[in-house]
Amino acid sequence: MYVLGIETSCDETGIAIYHSKQGLINHKLHSQIDMHSQYGGVVPELASRDHIRKIVPLIKQSISETRLNNKDINGIAYTAGPGLMGALLVGAATARSLAWAWQIPAIAVHHMEGHLLAPMLEKNPPQMPFVALLISGGHTLLIQVENIGNYCLLGESLDDAAGEAFDKTGKLLGLSYPGGAKLAKLAESGTARLKFPRPMTDRPGLDFSFSGLKTFALNTINASTQSEQDRADIAAAFQEAVADTLTIKCKRALLQTGLDKLVVAGGVSANQHIRTELSKMTQQLNATIYFPRLEFCTDNGAMIAYAGCQRLMAGQQQGLEFSAHPRWALNGLTKI
Ligand code: KG4
Ligand code: ZN
């Protein structure tokens, strides 16, 4: 079964073709980062318009590069939420219209389910059950994954998501949007000589809170000479605090659930320091850690095509109406 995947939840137009037996056949990504960075963040209306411009050419390109015809596609998976309403509607309307024209099924995919299944596209995919840490620009979730669609929320951020904290702290350090990867680069030339707090680690539970770290960073920046070295040291200290906090909570989640596999996905899982710290912890626990390849940590069409393919193969599909949910809980999904 060939599944066309469409991702348009935020500022990336992602298209992919996944085959149920051959795996990922093709994927295309158009990032809007350059367009939004001049405004310091994503401008929803500009995002929607750019998705409209890019979506059909990218789909055509993806299908022609794989030497397939439109009639070879057996199903279409699209991100139906959570995300920006206008951006989601572009993907949903395009997917549903193509599926109707081609007389094939369409399936709505939860964006975070896409992220959590992204490591399934790798050579040694994790077997379920596992604990998943999803760290993106909009979410920080710790989930017990029993099976596709069977998700138990263990913990989440009570305020800023991990990626949001990176982006906001990056902005305070003078880095352009999105600041996550740039802050990580800046931290390479710094030392974490300053001690940032590890929020909510001194009490039981698996929830997170990252907004205090941004305020702590602001106060530290104001109290410093703001030299290049100071900025790098603050970036390193902030990054270390996020990595430590995530590591402490993931260790707790593994011990609490008795599971020995940890999947880490979402844009922030591209962070090398966080990867290293989490890997050290899982090694100590004799557990195994799984990440997507770097390009599939951030938003992409491949994870949506994969997730949709699993659901379509299980016989699920949407009616002719299309759906878009800017807010959508992960633990209410249909199980496979
Ligand atoms: O998953 P994603 O592409 O989009 C959402 O679903 O939100 O995640 C984007 C987030 C941004 O906040 C970005 O700054 C962050 O991931 N990010 C990073 C790194 N690469 C991307 N944060 C820290 N270190 C990185 N290397
Ligand atoms: Zn995402």
Side-chain angles (χ1 to χ4, degrees):
M1 167 181 238
Y2 284 106
V3 176
L4 175 69
I6 299 179
E7 155 63 34
T8 63
S9 66
C10 189
D11 56 353
E12 255 115 20
T13 317
I15 303 295
I17 299 172
Y18 181 86
H19 186 265
S20 49
K21 292 215 172 70
Q22 295 161 42
L24 186 64
I25 309 281
N26 185 274
H27 69 99
K28 296 260 149 292
L29 190 80
H30 168 72
S31 170
Q32 304 176 351
I33 280 179
D34 289 346
M35 183 179 76
H36 295 296
S37 68
Q38 53 185 309
Y39 301 98
V42 177
V43 184
E45 181 60 22
L46 293 183
S48 315
R49 291 183 197 190
D50 201 56
H51 285 307
I52 292 172
R53 270 192 293 272
K54 296 291 170 0
I55 192 165
V56 173
L58 280 179
I59 293 172
K60 280 187 175 165
Q61 201 186 343
S62 193
I63 293 177
S64 75
E65 272 181 20
T66 47
R67 299 180 191 282
L68 294 173
N69 288 312
N70 297 348
K71 63 175 171 14
D72 295 320
I73 305 293
N74 306 109
I76 304 186
Y78 63 93
T79 304
L84 303 170
M85 186 49 139
L88 290 167
L89 281 173
V90 177
T94 307
R96 196 47 266 180
S97 308
L98 283 177
W100 182 75
W102 296 344
Q103 293 294 297
I104 54 174
I107 184 87
V109 173
H110 192 293
H111 181 76
M112 298 313 288
E113 176 171 81
H115 274 304
L116 94 81
L117 296 177
M120 296 300 200
L121 292 160
E122 302 308 318
K123 272 208 180 68
N124 293 311
Q127 299 287 316
M128 294 172 194
F130 54 70
V131 170
L133 171 70
L134 302 183
I135 34 179
S136 72
H139 296 84
T140 304
L141 303 170
L142 254 176
I143 303 160
Q144 184 168 343
V145 176
E146 290 298 333
N147 220 318
I148 295 181
N150 191 350
Y151 308 128
C152 170
L153 184 68
L154 301 171
E156 63 185 330
S157 178
L158 304 179
D159 41 56
D160 291 354
E164 196 179 352
F166 264 95
D167 294 341
K168 287 178 174 172
T169 305
K171 200 171 194 171
L172 295 172
L173 288 165
L175 304 170
S176 63
Y177 178 86
K182 291 165 199 141
L183 189 152
K185 183 92 195 103
L186 179 62
E188 280 172 21
S189 47
T191 46
R193 61 185 168 81
L194 305 149
K195 188 79 178 164
F196 273 51
R198 273 60 173 155
M200 296 184 71
T201 55
D202 57 352
R203 66 195 89 161
L206 295 171
D207 286 333
F208 304 90
S209 165
F210 290 113
S211 70
L213 281 183
K214 163 196 70 194
T215 315
F216 196 89
L218 176 64
N219 294 336
T220 313
I221 292 166
N222 288 339
S224 77
T225 66
Q226 300 188 18
S227 65
E228 196 54 27
Q229 192 57 52
D230 275 350
R231 289 174 61 247
D233 290 349
I234 292 167
F238 166 82
Q239 181 176 255
E240 194 184 77
V242 176
D244 265 8
T245 306
L246 294 172
T247 305
I248 291 167
K249 298 282 171 160
C250 285
K251 184 176 179 180
R252 262 186 217 172
L254 287 168
L255 294 173
Q256 182 180 308
T257 57
L259 295 172
D260 62 356
K261 292 183 211 81
L262 177 67
V263 161
V264 187
V268 183
S269 69
N271 185 285
Q272 202 48 59
H273 182 68
I274 292 175
R275 284 183 172 227
T276 307
E277 291 305 305
L278 288 169
S279 302
K280 278 194 228 160
M281 179 274 291
T282 49
Q283 215 170 352
Q284 280 165 8
L285 289 186
N286 262 330
T288 316
I289 191 160
Y290 301 85
F291 301 100
R293 73 192 80 164
L294 286 181
E295 63 180 327
F296 293 160
C297 288
T298 42
D299 293 349
N300 64 84
M303 64 187 195
I304 302 303
Y306 176 85
C309 184
Q310 309 313 306
R311 290 189 171 276
L312 288 166
M313 284 197 306
Q316 297 179 13
Q317 61 171 284
Q318 241 72 47
L320 279 182
E321 77 290 356
F322 59 81
S323 43
H325 317 288
R327 295 171 70 85
W328 189 5
L330 188 57
N331 47 5
L333 300 185
T334 318
K335 296 178 181 128
I336 287 191

